[in-house]
Amino acid sequence: MKQEIKVIISGGGTGGHIFPAISIANAIKEQIPSTKILFIGAEGRMEMQRVPDAGYEIKGLPICGFDRKNLLKNVKVLYKIWKSQRMAKKIIKDFNPDVVVGVGGYASGPTLNKAAAMGIPCLIQEQNSYAGVTNKLLANKVAKVCVAYEGMERFFPAEKIIMTGNPVRQALLETSLSKEEAKNLLGLNPNKRTILFVGGSLGARTINESILNHLDIMKSANVQVIWQTGKYYSASIAERLKGEDIPNLKVMDFIKDMGTAYKAADLVVSRAGASSISEFCLLGTPVILVPSPNVAEDHQTKNAMALVNKGAALFVKDADAKDTLLGLAIDAVEDNERLQTLSTNIKALALPDSAKIIAEEVIKLAKL
């Protein structure tokens, strides 16, 4: 049986694609340390930095998405797709992988298309409850489809589907701090209920405005808030908060140690990205989900409703969040019974060892 294998992992664009991809790579290396892994991403996207930071080589394709507002610009897009297909073919030929993995995002399209055409077994990992366009187009060309939600037969051949869940950042699960220790580490009152508002590394305008519009409520609330504004909004928010004295509000542009922040929080307010939801499930975190309206096929709302329908999360529409989100969060975090129910129900949806299970499937395909 072959002991050394070669794997290409392709995709990216957002942390929701990149973190699972890196987790899968790490899990493959754990099982077969001599494995050679190459990533293929999209030029100018965040994977071109995050993947090398994680210790893996990556090659970039000039691929980008279609412009739905200005159709004339798509002539350039079509050229980039053609060029990316050619480049992907050469990269695959030079690296000679045993198996190719797609995690969604622009780069996985041309990479897996070419790999399948060259007779190389392929696997895709779909993080969301509503499959992305790239993965739907690849469904008939791949050998296996790893999913995190029930009912994915709507998008993929049933015989190819494996329910694995989404890999998460391992560091989040390894935090050994108690809740009180985490609060102390962040300079918070260990005896006060704590809400974490987080909108991703760049931030979420609506989540930010739900606090900014109600600073009077924040001042009088008997809770404390960790507020990750995101780097994009941090300067304007700092300007807005000048002269305000709100000791129960801890403002941060970016939180490097999310494990400590999640541990300190009694309740989290977040967008409904697939990776974040998987993290909340494994941690048993009570959460209010505010799906982003700016995503393809409104898939974040579909992700959120998969939890809400099982009593595993609270839900606020983006359009309503500026008016109602902060009040709901304060009411919820002070309700012990509600928090316990949310925690129990969301933990019941957790799928542990996702990266390990996906890695095992990748290795099986490589050894065929």
Side-chain angles (χ1 to χ4, degrees), residues 120-229:
I120 299 163
C122 299
L123 173 149
I124 53 177
Q125 198 249 332
E126 175 54 63
Q127 292 102 4
N128 292 294
S129 61
Y130 194 94
V133 174
T134 303
N135 280 349
K136 281 193 281 189
L137 291 172
L138 290 168
N140 290 321
K141 299 180 180 182
V142 302
K144 297 286 180 186
V145 182
C146 296
V147 301
Y149 291 89
E150 295 166 357
M152 298 304 283
E153 299 83 7
R154 292 175 293 158
F155 310 109
F156 306 117
E159 69 278 5
K160 295 183 179 183
I161 294 174
I162 306 167
M163 187 76 155
T164 60
N166 287 324
V168 303
R169 293 171 281 184
Q170 200 58 34
L172 296 180
L173 307 177
E174 292 167 354
T175 303
S176 58
L177 298 170
S178 68
K179 192 170 284 295
E180 289 72 24
E181 287 169 337
K183 287 179 182 179
N184 282 326
L185 207 59
L186 291 166
L188 300 168
N189 182 336
N191 301 312
K192 254 191 184 172
R193 288 292 166 90
T194 305
I195 310 168
L196 169 63
F197 282 77
V198 59
S201 56
L202 294 177
R205 182 197 295 273
T206 306
I207 290 176
N208 288 339
E209 289 182 350
S210 74
I211 299 176
L212 279 176
N213 292 359
H214 300 285
L215 293 177
D216 53 332
I217 295 175
M218 198 55 247
K219 286 175 187 175
S220 60
N222 191 33
V223 302
Q224 55 197 357
V225 165
I226 308 165
W227 179 14
Q228 183 190 280
T229 63

Side-chain angles (χ1 to χ4, degrees), residues 265-269 280 284-288 312 338-340 342-343 346:
D266 298 286
L267 175 73
V268 175
V269 175
F280 301 143
T285 307
V287 63
I288 300 176
R338 198 177 201 182
L339 289 181
Q340 188 55 55
L342 288 170
S343 180
I346 199 168

